[in-house]
Amino acid sequence: KYLDWRVFGRNERLYIRQYEEETSLRVHLLVDSSSSMAYASKDLSKYQFACRCAACLAYIVIHRQDHAGLALFDNKCRMLLPPRSGAEHLRLLCNALADRSPSDKSSFSSALHQLAEKFSKRALVILFSDLFENTENLRSVLAHFRRKRHDVIVCQILDREELDFSFRDIGAFEDLESGEKIISNPKEIRAGYQIAVQNFLTDCRGICADLNVE
């Protein structure tokens, strides 16, 4: 059934037909729009930076004639655009990023598990988030996407102040998601804070390495 009989009819030589199938890449861009992503030590918030990254990748994907989709989530999925191509779809995707403002608490368990079930076709999933969530929940969600045979990339978005904690004056520190406030002297807690942050980052990297997630 693989012989090319037309070629045989012309020159009486046997040739096997070979096919090269081209399929479109599907990319799901998952952007964390919870309240913690609103933090900005300077002009650009973590959410705005994540949006720029997602928009740039969407442009590249669509420019290559592939399909890009978008999901904005906090404690649940707030907006979902299925992967499509074309300039009009890119415009809708960028407008959706621009129109959303971070709000509500983040919850990987309630939001991303639902998305993993929705994405029935194999795709590339790119997550933009500060990952401020229980690390075991992060492991569970990433494992869910991997079980569905998706390739996954995690882009952890953090502000420089969240890493260095270079504050100097005694003041109130507020949790953007819970509203809880504490009064503290940064000089007294900086060393312990930085150790805790590094442990958190190490845990996130370890989870990704275990699941073959970039």
Side-chain angles (χ1 to χ4, degrees):
K1 67 179 181 179
Y2 296 111
L3 289 176
D4 194 324
W5 294 108
R6 290 184 180 179
V7 175
F8 179 77
R10 288 197 299 267
N11 56 25
E12 296 187 353
R13 299 184 65 179
L14 296 176
Y15 284 88
I16 294 176
R17 290 175 293 182
Q18 291 184 329
Y19 296 91
E20 183 174 334
E21 183 179 11
E22 293 186 1
T23 58
S24 295
L25 173 68
R26 286 180 293 273
V27 179
H28 294 282
L29 303 167
L30 314 183
V31 179
D32 185 348
S33 62
S34 61
S35 295
S36 66
M37 293 291 287
Y39 181 73
S41 61
K42 295 185 179 179
D43 294 334
L44 200 66
S45 71
K46 292 188 292 183
Y47 176 72
Q48 291 170 324
F49 184 81
C51 287
R52 292 187 182 190
C53 293
C56 288
L57 284 175
Y59 173 82
I60 293 171
V61 170
I62 291 175
H63 187 68
R64 287 169 48 87
Q65 308 302 314
D66 290 321
H67 296 173
L70 173 68
L72 300 176
F73 70 93
D74 40 58
N75 55 5
K76 61 182 179 180
C77 183
R78 299 293 178 176
M79 197 281 305
L80 180 62
L81 287 177
R84 291 193 177 93
S85 190
E88 178 63 16
H89 181 66
L90 178 62
R91 184 186 68 81
L92 293 174
L93 189 149
C94 291
N95 285 345
L97 289 167
D99 292 342
R100 174 72 177 165
S101 296
S103 62
D104 293 314
K105 297 180 179 180
S106 177
S107 173
F108 288 127
S109 296
S110 60
L112 297 188
H113 279 301
Q114 294 176 9
L115 290 175
E117 286 299 318
K118 284 179 180 288
F119 301 160
S120 57
K121 296 182 179 179
R122 187 177 182 182
L124 172 61
V125 176
I126 306 178
L127 171 63
F128 301 89
S129 173
D130 52 20
L131 304 183
F132 286 171
E133 173 68 280
N134 182 289
T135 52
E136 287 309 308
N137 289 346
L138 173 63
R139 180 186 295 276
S140 175
V141 164
L142 295 182
H144 194 167
F145 281 115
R146 296 295 287 141
R147 285 196 302 273
K148 293 289 187 177
R149 299 176 62 245
H150 299 301
D151 294 318
V152 183
I153 297 174
V154 173
C155 298
Q156 189 172 23
I157 311 295
L158 296 172
D159 191 279
R160 177 55 57 184
E161 292 286 7
E162 292 176 323
L163 295 172
D164 297 340
F165 203 72
S166 57
F167 305 101
R168 296 182 178 181
D169 299 327
I170 297 175
F173 293 87
E174 180 181 355
D175 186 322
L176 292 177
E177 296 194 1
S178 69
E180 180 183 359
K181 295 182 180 180
I182 60 170
I183 305 296
S184 181
N185 183 348
K187 294 180 181 179
E188 294 179 354
I189 66 173
R190 181 176 295 113
Y193 173 89
Q194 290 175 338
I195 291 173
V197 168
Q198 289 305 314
N199 289 339
F200 168 65
L201 297 178
T202 299
D203 289 344
C204 291
R205 294 188 185 105
I207 289 169
C208 290
D210 291 344
L211 296 171
N212 196 25
V213 170
E214 294 187 44

